Amino acid sequence: QMQPVESGGASVQAGGSLRLSCTFSGVNGGDFARAWFRQAPGNGREGISCISFSVGKTTYQDSVKGRFTISRDDAKNMVYLEMNSLKPEDTAIYYCAVITRIDCSGSWWDHRVGAWGPGTQVTVSS
C-alpha cells in the first residue's frame, strides 16, 4: 500500500519560510496528480494545493495563493511545498497525497487515494 511520509515542519515566526517534502513508499504513485492537505487544530482536513501529472499545472486554495508553491520530482517520487510569508493561521499538520486524476480540476480533494501519512507539524507564532 502506498504510504506518504512528510517532513520539514518546524516552529517559525510569522513572515518566515519553510519547505516541506514528501516521499511515497511502497507502490509508485503513478501518472497521477499530487497534493498537499492540512489540518488546523479543531478543524477538518482541507486540500490546499495540487499539481497535475506531466505538465505540472498547479492550483491553490485562496488562503495560500501567492505564498505557497507546490512542485514535484517524479524521478525521485517526491513532492514539495515551499511556504513563504507564513501566518499564524497556517499552523497545522500538513499531509501529502496522491490524487487519482491526471489534473487538478474540479473537486480534486475528493479523489485522494491511499493511507494518510503521519504528517508534519508547522507552527507559526506571531
Side-chain angles (χ1 to χ4, degrees):
Q1 184 179 11
M2 188 163 43
Q3 175 72 53
V5 178
E6 304 87 354
S7 62
S11 295
V12 297
Q13 291 191 327
S17 299
L18 285 173
R19 186 188 193 221
L20 306 184
S21 300
C22 171
T23 185
F24 296 89
S25 62
V27 179
N28 188 293
D31 300 343
F32 293 130
R34 304 287 193 268
W36 284 94
F37 292 73
R38 70 182 180 186
Q39 185 168 18
N43 292 350
R45 211 164 307 195
E46 60 176 352
I48 58 170
S49 184
C50 180
I51 183 167
S52 69
F53 174 71
S54 183
V55 298
K57 186 176 181 180
T58 57
T59 186
Y60 300 93
Q61 185 195 76
D62 286 346
S63 63
V64 305
K65 195 174 297 183
R67 299 187 298 122
F68 290 11
T69 302
I70 188 172
S71 61
R72 61 189 290 168
D73 184 337
D74 291 332
K76 297 180 180 179
N77 204 16
M78 298 281 292
V79 62
Y80 306 97
L81 187 68
E82 188 78 31
M83 306 188 296
N84 297 311
S85 302
L86 283 162
K87 304 176 181 179
E89 51 264 44
D90 294 319
T91 295
I93 301 174
Y94 285 71
Y95 304 87
C96 59
V98 172
I99 306 298
T100 54
R101 305 179 71 169
I102 294 176
D103 62 17
C104 301
S105 59
S107 56
W108 53 265
W109 50 87
D110 287 335
H111 298 271
R112 185 194 62 82
V113 67
W116 288 109
T120 187
Q121 176 72 49
V122 173
T123 303
V124 185
S125 58
S126 57

